[in-house]
Amino acid sequence: MSHHVSDKNQVHRTMVVDTLKMVGQVVKLAGWVDTKRDHGKLTFIDLRDRTGKVQVVGYQKMGELTTESVVEIIGEVKQRPERMVNPDLDTGYVEIDVSEYQVLNAASELPLPIDTDGLEINEEVRLKYRYLDLRRPRMQKMLSLRSQYARAVRTALYERNFVEIETPILTKSTKEGSRDFIVPSRLQPGKFYALPQSPQQYKQLLMTAGVERYFQLAKCIRDEDLRADRGFEHTQIDLEMSFVDQQEVMHTVEEMIIESVQAVGGNIQQEPFPIYTYQQAMEEFGQDKFDLRSEAEKKNGVLAFAWVIKFPFFKQVDKTDLAEVADGKSGWTFTHNPFSMPLPEYVAQHLKGENVQQILTSQYDLICNGYEVGGGSIRAHQAEVLRATYRIMGYSDEETEASVGHMLRAFELGTPPHGGIALGLDRIVMLLAGEKSLKEAIAFPMTASGKTAVMDAPDSASPKQLEELHLQLATK
Ligand code: ASP
């Protein structure tokens, strides 16, 4: 087929960044009207696409264009005279002399400004119009950073022969210390699925399945009391390994973190990561999440990772926390994870349920700049150890069976010793981006009151839906 530039349908779209090397050529660009300046007979716009901005010089009629409208233009790339060069723009040496243009979608007045960093704008407004909010350069950079970081994590794990595997979202309760979100079953009246607080049980079952090295970037859903910077769901870099001890898991995770953080230009304070026992941390910092950076390092965006180990396995139930009350029927509940293995020297007393407050777990937490960014443990892979944990929490044999009978069964069918970790992807990206709120690291986060971004959920269900689900709303 013959190729003729003046037939605009046959000119391929050029990306803005490429116009620099196309002086003298006619190009077709498409994107958003970033800014517009009317100068009588001439109209100047900065046209923006995902690669950048370029100045476009058009005739009077282009004065009709509103900012953030989507346009396609055809024009010649011209070298700017020396005194007109704009050093602030990557494409500042050129401009496009428009011959034709077409409005693909006209934008009306914007409900929020997008030429600032956005932090000054009310959260509800930002999230209602998140698709606009994400157009600001700061947010575009964040989306790209998150993607690059996730890729670096995958690369580091694939290089170590981890297998990426998805696990179900409609499942049975898996305890991570929060309330469950439950989903009514239409086909089994009166029964409910729970959304996973983590893939904990499935990843352990993948070890039973012989996978040996599993990972997933997993959505975890927890009905927690909302804090200003977090919603009900988060993403974890979730992994599990077979035939390993605590040091091997920590070492693998540390290598992965260092490689992935450095791959996106992050600056790590200390390698290997320092290790504190829970007791040392409490004595030195008064808490198990601490910040090891100097003031100068804080300014320079340094990431100070550290491990915390040797946590108490159990804690006394906080009576104001309904999830803890439900889990800890005896008044004792787990500090981190009921599926953990006590440290070897405490296994005997764990099995007997003696001196519960002294038992230490194989838990390891990774912290960074004062935040917990991950936690994991060596798991109980023998049925009697998991049974003992539930007994200490006050579960009868029947209650344990109903809760984790499937795990106990798997532990009688050749489950290798194993351990793993889950790292908070949102939190790591937030720290890498130098942001202060997790919401800045998530494309569509929830509002502080638990409403979804853009779409107004939770929403009511129709009487028909409720009927199908065998549900009736209790009237006050
Ligand atoms: N389930 C995780 C783990 O120990 C911890 C978590 O989800 O917070 O691997």
Side-chain angles (χ1 to χ4, degrees):
M1 231 173 90
S2 77
H3 183 78
H4 198 263
V5 257
S6 70
D7 178 349
K8 74 172 186 185
N9 292 323
Q10 291 191 25
V11 181
H12 287 295
R13 178 183 176 210
T14 294
M15 298 313 297
V16 158
V17 73
D18 296 326
T19 54
L20 255 187
K21 32 178 215 264
M22 298 180 76
V23 174
Q25 296 185 48
V26 171
V27 294
K28 177 160 94 180
L29 302 177
W32 288 260
V33 177
D34 194 76
T35 50
K36 188 186 73 174
R37 298 172 297 282
D38 284 314
H39 285 236
K41 284 213 173 86
L42 287 182
T43 301
F44 291 85
I45 65 171
D46 279 353
L47 183 84
R48 183 185 80 237
D49 68 15
R50 66 186 152 82
T51 67
K53 293 191 260 189
V54 68
Q55 172 158 288
V56 171
V57 189
Y59 40 95
Q60 200 159 19
K61 187 168 174 281
M62 284 180 84
E64 69 168 0
L65 295 177
T66 52
T67 48
E68 293 306 312
S69 290
V70 182
V71 290
E72 182 181 282
I73 65 130
I74 293 187
E76 189 184 332
V77 183
K78 292 200 163 149
Q79 183 108 39
R80 294 204 210 181
E82 192 129 8
R83 60 194 169 81
M84 305 294 254
V85 166
N86 177 357
D88 296 336
L89 221 51
D90 286 345
T91 59
Y93 290 92
V94 297
E95 60 189 12
I96 316 299
D97 190 2
V98 174
S99 49
E100 305 170 43
Y101 74 93
Q102 197 190 341
V103 179
L104 302 178
N105 185 262
S108 54
E109 200 189 324
L110 298 191
L112 77 176
I114 61 167
D115 54 357
T116 62
D117 69 11
L119 294 171
E120 76 290 357
I121 305 167
N122 170 281
E123 173 187 288
E124 297 264 339
V125 177
R126 276 186 74 195
L127 295 185
K128 175 158 187 220
Y129 294 101
R130 187 60 156 182
Y131 46 86
L132 289 180
D133 190 58
L134 289 173
R135 284 188 200 166
R136 57 184 92 251
R138 183 174 69 88
M139 297 309 285
Q140 292 283 312
K141 261 195 235 148
M142 187 284 301
L143 291 176
S144 155
L145 173 69
R146 184 173 172 123
S147 165
Q148 294 301 324
Y149 183 70
R151 177 185 175 163
V153 165
R154 284 200 165 91
T155 301
L157 291 173
Y158 280 118
E159 277 171 2
R160 289 169 177 76
N161 299 315
F162 281 80
V163 182
E164 185 169 5
I165 303 174
E166 291 152 275
T167 53
I169 289 292
L170 290 174
T171 175
K172 186 166 163 142
S173 177
T174 194
K175 297 180 187 308
E176 296 284 358
S178 302
R179 290 195 194 82
D180 288 321
F181 271 96
I182 59 174
V183 180
S185 160
R186 179 176 58 85
L187 296 177
Q188 297 183 47
K191 296 248 167 101
F192 296 83
Y193 301 95
L195 302 180
Q197 292 186 32
S198 81
Q200 183 65 33
Q201 302 191 56
Y202 284 111
K203 72 173 168 178
Q204 291 193 241
L205 294 171
L206 286 169
M207 298 301 103
T208 311
V211 169
E212 293 201 24
R213 291 186 160 212
Y214 140 93
F215 90 98
Q216 164 179 212
L217 302 188
K219 273 296 179 81
C220 299
I221 300 145
R222 302 179 185 184
D223 189 355
E224 294 186 276
D225 294 330
L226 291 174
R227 286 182 234 145
D229 83 330
R230 73 148 68 139
F232 295 126
E233 43 183 300
H234 68 275
T235 307
Q236 290 186 342
I237 306 162
D238 193 52
L239 64 89
E240 199 74 11
M241 307 166 73
S242 291
F243 304 106
V244 285
D245 61 18
Q246 183 172 335
Q247 281 67 34
E248 283 172 87
V249 182
M250 287 166 66
H251 182 72
T252 305
V253 171
E254 189 164 323
E255 281 184 344
M256 181 275 276
I257 288 281
I258 292 169
E259 281 178 27
S260 56
V261 164
Q262 287 174 348
V264 297
N267 184 359
I268 295 174
Q269 185 199 46
Q270 257 192 89
E271 296 166 34
F273 301 163
I275 303 176
Y276 292 78
T277 65
Y278 173 73
Q279 200 186 340
Q280 282 169 338
M282 295 308 281
E283 280 166 16
E284 213 173 312
F285 309 102
Q287 51 177 333
D288 55 4
K289 304 183 246 300
F290 42 87
D291 194 340
L292 294 172
R293 292 169 305 165
S294 64
E295 288 307 316
E297 286 171 332
K298 282 182 191 168
K299 282 201 197 85
N300 295 329
V302 168
L303 300 175
F305 288 98
W307 290 105
V308 183
I309 58 170
K310 297 200 175 174
F311 288 90
F313 199 128
F314 298 100
K315 65 177 176 189
Q316 234 132 17
V317 166
D318 170 359
K319 298 228 169 62
T320 65
D321 185 324
L322 289 182
E324 283 193 15
V325 171
D327 290 339
K329 302 172 198 297
S330 63
W332 289 105
T333 187
F334 53 90
T335 60
H336 286 79
N337 193 318
F339 296 103
S340 297
M341 181 81 119
L343 285 174
E345 55 273 37
Y346 297 95
V347 172
Q349 83 192 61
H350 186 92
L351 290 173
K352 284 188 245 152
E354 284 171 9
N355 297 324
V356 168
Q357 72 286 353
Q358 285 172 3
I359 300 173
L360 299 183
T361 160
S362 60
Q363 178 79 23
Y364 29 86
D365 275 3
L366 184 65
I367 62 154
C368 181
N369 296 4
Y371 294 100
E372 182 190 323
V373 293
S377 62
I378 298 301
R379 322 298 183 185
H381 73 285
Q382 281 145 339
E384 70 261 29
V385 179
L386 186 58
R387 255 192 215 107
T389 305
Y390 275 75
R391 207 178 306 121
I392 291 171
M393 297 198 298
Y395 282 61
S396 69
D397 288 349
E398 294 72 42
E399 287 168 328
T400 305
E401 197 55 38
S403 176
V404 289
H406 51 280
M407 299 301 287
L408 297 169
R409 182 83 182 115
F411 292 171
E412 286 161 356
L413 295 168
T415 297
H418 60 280
I421 198 165
L423 302 151
L425 178 67
D426 309 320
R427 186 138 271 161
I428 295 173
V429 173
M430 174 191 93
L431 292 169
L432 282 167
E435 295 290 350
K436 296 212 162 50
S437 164
L438 278 175
K439 290 179 186 169
E440 303 300 323
I442 301 171
F444 294 104
M446 212 165 242
T447 69
S449 58
K451 274 207 312 205
T452 54
V454 188
M455 291 181 237
D456 210 4
D459 200 356
S460 34
S462 69
K464 175 98 181 60
Q465 283 172 312
L466 290 175
E467 193 193 315
E468 271 185 347
L469 295 169
H470 324 281
L471 292 180
Q472 230 170 13
L473 295 182
T475 40
K476 281 213 197 106

